[in-house]
Amino acid sequence: MQKSIVVITGGPGFGKTSLIHRLKELNYRVGDEYAQEIIQDQLEHGGDCLPWKNGKAFRELIFQKRLAFWSSVVDEELAFADRGIPDQLAFARYQGKAKLSCLIKNSRSYSYFPYVFITSPWKEIYLQNQVRSETFEQACEIHEWICKTYLDLGYQLVHLPKIDVEQRVNFIINYITKLRS
């Protein structure tokens, strides 16, 4: 089943979350970037549901949060997601995980809007921090896996221009408006 949830994705640190925050300010329904939330919470509370400590539990918790958001959006409602379920498949491919059948099944079972907006590598805005530990080069490699995964699943990629947040949001809204009219 396909929903009108527009995925904004790309490598870590390329501006997705800033766009989601702005869309939320504009009163759009949004699904947050759950990985950062979980990592931050686990670090603050001494938990072990972290990708480098208990990857399986971490992946399952992210999936449950993404699925809950996906399920909460009614069929024709326009919503936006900071990453989608296929991102988990892309990250697993990047990490060289062998058991992907469940991730492939989930990625096909829970479909999004057919156009996915991609934040391309942008070194000038990239920052490493306690939650985002990847180097810029690693973020670029993850980005390639994300693009390949969405393409493999039949999505159309729309690469966002490297412009400020407000202009990027306007670009997305205008693009979707034209597609839906």
Side-chain angles (χ1 to χ4, degrees), residues 60-112:
E60 181 60 28
L61 185 55
I62 289 173
F63 172 72
Q64 291 304 322
K65 287 181 173 283
R66 287 190 177 134
L67 180 58
F69 176 72
W70 188 92
S71 299
S72 73
V73 175
V74 295
D75 292 345
E76 293 303 314
E77 178 182 14
L78 178 63
F80 295 88
D82 189 335
R83 300 201 181 282
I85 292 169
D87 282 79
Q88 287 188 262
L89 175 58
F91 274 85
R93 286 174 165 176
Y94 165 74
Q95 295 165 345
K97 302 288 183 201
K99 297 183 180 181
L100 301 175
S101 58
C102 184
L103 291 171
I104 292 168
K105 179 182 175 234
N106 289 339
S107 294
R108 289 188 175 138
S109 296
Y110 304 102
S111 295
Y112 295 88

Side-chain angles (χ1 to χ4, degrees), residues 96-159:
K97 302 288 183 201
K99 297 183 180 181
L100 301 175
S101 58
C102 184
L103 291 171
I104 292 168
K105 179 182 175 234
N106 289 339
S107 294
R108 289 188 175 138
S109 296
Y110 304 102
S111 295
Y112 295 88
F113 191 72
Y115 291 80
V116 173
F117 290 86
I118 304 291
T119 57
S120 296
W122 193 352
K123 195 164 192 159
E124 291 76 17
I125 67 168
Y126 183 79
L127 294 172
Q128 272 184 292
N129 58 32
Q130 185 179 19
V131 177
R132 183 183 303 118
S133 60
E134 300 89 1
T135 65
F136 180 75
E137 291 72 23
Q138 289 169 320
C140 289
E141 191 175 339
I142 292 167
H143 176 81
E144 292 303 317
W145 279 107
I146 290 168
C147 291
K148 180 176 177 3
T149 298
Y150 277 95
L151 285 172
D152 289 349
L153 292 167
Y155 290 94
Q156 298 291 318
L157 304 185
V158 180
H159 294 272

Side-chain angles (χ1 to χ4, degrees), residues 17 20-21 24 30-45 49-50 58 61-62 65-66 82 131:
T17 303
I20 289 293
H21 288 193
K24 186 184 270 187
V30 300
D32 294 319
E33 212 302 53
Y34 302 112
Q36 284 189 15
E37 290 177 8
I38 294 166
I39 292 170
Q40 189 67 45
D41 179 69
Q42 292 296 299
L43 290 173
E44 287 175 7
H45 296 97
C49 188
L50 294 161
F58 178 76
L61 185 55
I62 289 173
K65 287 181 173 283
R66 287 190 177 134
D82 189 335
V131 177

Side-chain angles (χ1 to χ4, degrees), residues 6 28 78 80 113 115 117 158 169-181:
V6 177
Y28 286 98
L78 178 63
F80 295 88
F113 191 72
Y115 291 80
F117 290 86
V158 180
V169 166
N170 289 336
F171 177 92
I172 293 167
I173 299 301
N174 291 335
Y175 201 99
I176 292 167
T177 301
K178 287 177 188 172
L179 288 172
R180 295 180 93 195
S181 50

